[in-house]
Amino acid sequence: MPKRVSMKGRGLEAVYGAYEAAPVHRSAGVDAYPQPSSPEQQPDDQALLKATFYLDRDTIDVLENLWLTERRRGRRGRSKSALVRLAIRLLAERES
């Protein structure tokens, strides 16, 4: 009787055989899933920088409610980032 072949380390290949994925053809330098540009950033605007700020749960709830209210009013182009920028500018004007 011939010696049994070891299945150790073969995983699903032992059951289904060798798997060869279909090759993916993309031209170099082209994003397959382009990200839409943010509506509040126009080509003539300054580039936006990413920053991290920690907010308490109540402040996040207020921001979420403001954002949803803006969307219900038909102002879908205004993001949460745009609302925060507007709030900071309004606070700066009030302080000066």
Side-chain angles (χ1 to χ4, degrees):
M1 188 190 257
K3 188 175 178 183
R4 201 172 71 164
V5 177
S6 173
M7 296 289 157
K8 186 174 182 179
R10 290 195 180 189
L12 291 177
E13 289 180 6
V15 178
Y16 296 109
Y19 173 76
E20 293 182 25
V24 176
H25 299 287
R26 287 193 296 184
S27 58
V30 177
D31 190 6
Y33 303 101
Q35 298 295 323
S37 60
S38 58
E40 69 272 3
Q41 186 176 1
Q42 300 300 322
D44 57 340
D45 285 349
Q46 294 178 354
L48 299 176
L49 302 176
K50 185 174 182 176
T52 301
F53 299 97
Y54 296 96
L55 305 173
D56 58 270
R57 177 66 60 192
D58 293 337
T59 305
I60 292 173
D61 289 342
V62 169
L63 177 61
E64 188 75 23
N65 288 334
L66 285 170
W67 180 70
L68 288 172
T69 302
E70 290 291 309
R71 289 181 62 86
R72 283 188 203 111
R73 290 181 181 167
R75 298 183 189 137
R76 294 186 176 264
R78 200 173 268 183
S79 66
K80 293 177 189 175
S81 294
L83 290 173
V84 171
R85 283 195 304 273
L86 179 62
I88 291 171
R89 288 185 183 136
L90 289 172
L91 182 61
E93 287 177 8
R94 191 177 82 177
E95 293 295 322
S96 59

